[in-house]
Amino acid sequence: MIIFLFSQFDCLDKLFQHKNQIMRYFESKVVSNEQITGDIFVLRVFRNQAEARPGQFYMLKSWDTELTLMRPISIFKAEPEEMWFMYRVVGAGTQRFSELQLGLPIKLLGPCGNGYPYEELKGKVAVLGGGVGIPPLCETAKTLKNQGVSVDAFLGFKDELFAVEDFKPWCENVYISTETGIEGHKGFVTDLLKPGQYDAVLTCGPEVMMRKVAAMCKEAGTTCYCSLEHRMACGIGACLGCSIRTKNGMKRVCKDGPVFNAEDLLW
């Protein structure tokens, strides 16, 4: 019901209280929309003073009635005047995003979710991402670097690389794996990680990858935070469609997450 209500707003710049933070529902405009691989795009929109915490996401839509639900897209970069979103074309909604051009309107709701607890981290941290789980770790690495944390990035791809150069300014080392062996280590990105060398590991990507990372970190005694990918309808915890089981009961990925301490997850 809430999403249907959002779609009917005539006045877009509205405020909502969400988990002790203010979310805005507002309209912005496209700055650019660049195809960087066969199915990966980077969408840049005017930020309009919107808040952004590393690991959070926004609900986006560029339609009025044809497609009802907004789509959750993680924050790739939060620049002073712009918000960057990297996404893969996988369905009708992201296909519509891929057709956006300079100056066209787009509606945003956010920021949603809790993000990574970067204020609590120190020492040496690894960020490990696979596929479209890579983008939210870029702003995270930047934020950690700016607060004096040493960061290494582990990025796993099937074949085509993307976003690697965006991590280099913020990371001491960037390790690459590809399943095809076209570049970097041939195999899985988890093959490269030695969690005992880090004070914490932050990960995002396919669940099977994050489960492996969580198990490795548990064995090494290293704190691990996982950003879960899940189908979402409302993005604010109202519909319960993204609920998961945890050691602390049922939790909503969109509101209580998407970032969880791996120790709390019941895989």
Side-chain angles (χ1 to χ4, degrees), residues 190-234:
T190 49
D191 300 338
L192 302 173
L193 179 67
K194 295 179 174 58
Q197 297 178 354
Y198 298 95
D199 296 289
V201 175
L202 314 181
T203 184
C204 184
E207 182 176 315
V208 64
M209 180 201 78
M210 291 193 293
R211 290 179 66 172
K212 174 67 173 177
V213 173
M216 293 169 66
C217 288
K218 184 174 182 178
E219 183 177 355
T222 300
T223 300
C224 178
Y225 290 97
C226 301
S227 180
L228 302 189
E229 296 180 339
H230 207 290
R231 290 185 177 275
M232 298 177 188
C234 73

Side-chain angles (χ1 to χ4, degrees), residues 8 16 26 101 103 118 142 148 154 163 173 191 227 233 242 249 252:
Q8 301 303 316
F16 303 89
F26 64 98
Q101 298 178 1
Y118 62 89
K142 172 185 173 181
F154 296 81
N173 301 285
D191 300 338
S227 180
C242 62
R252 295 156 293 185

